[in-house]
Amino acid sequence: MIAKDQQQSPLQEEQPVSNKKGTAIAVLISNHSQDIIKLKAALESLDSHLSDKTSPVLLFNEGNLNLEQMAKILNYTGRHLEFPIVNFTDFPIGFDPKVEKGNWKKRSKWGYQQMCRFWITKIWEHPALENFSSFMRMDTDSCFGKEVHSYLPGLPDIERTQGSNSKSHYVYSANRISRDGPTYTSGLMDLTEKFIESNGIIPQNGALWNEIKKEYNKTARVKLVYNNFEVANISFFQQPNVMAYQHAVSEVEPFGVFRKRWGDAVVRIITLALFAEDSTVNWIPEEGYMHPCYPKY
């Protein structure tokens, strides 16, 4: 077993130099052959449509890519690639995957739920992020179909004039907003309300939080942001109060990510409502992004 903070060998002595500061591109990949094929279009689209050529791609994987697959991936792009390991055989303390019944099987009993858990909680704890201030997420079956904003894969500046011209960055760039049904959100709003009350949380985006609650009370559906594409400020999501909420969602009873299939997209928009002022979130979707990717593989 490869330790979670190790990386698989990139198979070659020299790769393009990584900027090792600023932003990275994060993709969670499997060793399934079709996923490796689809990844080609995603990586090629970065080379074709991103003006930035130096930000590395972090290909998070379970340490089960074979040498042929890694060699193939390395030939997909001229960009620096890294292969950080994730451990999907690890489960929260108190949750027994052998006894519990899975409710959303995709390739494996707990694979989908582990993916959700990774993007909710585990990504922020991973040592692969130590040298970066932000990351842009993509899925293996996504790509860019045309030129995109020049600030990508980073976050755009916020222009603020308060006596002097000053700049700061958004904490998040969002994709399209939708909603998830009650089957996969049962109990999440109750947990969130209890977390708010017990921790004295004042939602930083009160309008968004009220919209989420209003829709939930009316339809039992919960808003989500399609975070298969997102750009996230790492230190924002690593704040103790943000981490505490994410931990409450995925790491302790009632283990809703595993038992109810609470998704990372729903948790992400609630996290933004609770902890991010509206003015610090870029809500304009990236028009050049495609999911699924339309070009032929």
Side-chain angles (χ1 to χ4, degrees):
M1 180 67 66
I2 301 176
K4 69 177 182 178
D5 59 347
Q6 291 181 335
Q7 297 190 28
Q8 284 189 269
S9 167
L11 296 186
Q12 59 184 41
E13 293 183 0
E14 272 189 49
Q15 284 198 78
V17 175
S18 162
N19 62 9
K20 278 298 182 185
K21 55 186 177 182
T23 195
I25 299 160
V27 188
L28 179 63
I29 66 173
S30 78
N31 68 343
H32 290 263
S33 58
Q34 284 300 308
D35 287 350
I36 302 299
I37 293 171
K38 291 176 181 180
L39 181 63
K40 183 175 189 291
L43 294 179
E44 287 180 344
S45 77
L46 295 176
D47 292 344
S48 299
H49 300 302
L50 228 61
S51 59
D52 171 281
K53 305 299 181 186
T54 61
S55 293
V57 181
L58 308 179
L59 296 171
F60 291 94
N61 68 95
E62 294 183 71
N64 54 6
L65 299 171
N66 62 44
L67 296 180
E68 181 182 353
Q69 288 173 323
M70 295 185 72
K72 184 179 292 186
I73 293 170
L74 287 164
N75 286 326
Y76 286 165
T77 179
R79 194 178 290 267
H80 180 88
L81 304 179
E82 298 183 11
F83 295 84
I85 303 302
V86 297
N87 183 4
F88 281 1
T89 65
D90 169 73
F91 289 83
I93 296 173
F95 182 86
D96 189 340
K98 295 179 180 179
V99 175
E100 299 275 354
K101 293 182 178 180
N103 62 352
W104 183 273
K105 185 176 180 180
K106 187 176 181 181
R107 297 179 179 168
S108 65
K109 182 178 178 181
W110 299 111
Y112 189 84
Q113 293 90 331
Q114 286 283 31
M115 179 275 293
C116 293
R117 181 194 186 203
F118 173 74
W119 291 114
I120 292 170
T121 304
K122 292 301 178 180
I123 179 69
W124 315 112
E125 301 172 356
H126 203 290
L129 297 187
E130 288 177 358
N131 295 313
F132 303 103
S133 60
S134 63
F135 70 80
M136 181 182 79
R137 174 185 171 182
M138 293 180 69
D139 277 2
T140 53
D141 60 343
S142 66
C143 66
F144 293 110
K146 62 180 181 180
E147 293 296 316
V148 296
H149 287 104
S150 59
Y151 54 75
L152 289 177
L155 288 158
D157 291 330
I158 303 173
E159 296 281 354
R160 287 198 175 117
T161 304
Q162 298 176 340
S164 63
N165 291 331
S166 61
K167 288 184 179 180
S168 61
H169 289 291
Y170 288 98
V171 300
Y172 191 81
S173 276
N175 198 356
R176 294 179 296 113
I177 293 176
S178 185
R179 48 209 41 83
D180 210 350
T183 302
Y184 304 119
T185 58
S186 174
L188 176 58
M189 290 295 289
D190 290 340
L191 178 144
T192 302
E193 293 276 19
K194 290 177 182 177
F195 182 87
I196 289 172
E197 182 177 357
S198 61
N199 291 277
I201 301 295
I202 300 174
Q204 295 302 293
N205 189 337
L208 177 58
W209 177 237
N210 288 335
E211 286 178 22
I212 293 170
K213 290 195 297 181
K214 182 179 180 180
E215 181 154 357
Y216 173 73
N217 291 332
K218 184 177 180 180
T219 69
R221 290 157 65 86
V222 181
K223 285 184 182 291
L224 60 79
V225 58
Y226 279 119
N227 63 326
N228 47 65
F229 170 82
E230 62 183 349
V231 187
N233 177 282
I234 295 168
S235 61
F236 169 80
F237 285 94
Q238 290 177 337
Q239 293 177 96
N241 55 352
V242 179
M243 291 284 282
Y245 174 67
Q246 293 166 161
H247 185 273
V249 168
S250 72
E251 303 305 303
V252 295
E253 289 282 358
F255 300 117
V257 171
F258 291 94
R259 291 177 178 156
K260 301 292 186 178
R261 205 231 69 180
W262 294 348
D264 50 302
V266 172
V267 175
R268 191 72 88 235
I269 200 167
I270 293 175
T271 302
L272 293 172
L274 297 186
F275 302 108
E277 295 178 11
D278 186 66
S279 61
T280 64
V281 178
N282 175 26
W283 292 107
I284 303 173
E286 179 53 59
E287 293 182 1
Y289 177 74
M290 295 190 299
H291 183 264
C293 185
Y294 297 127
K296 294 181 179 179
Y297 301 123

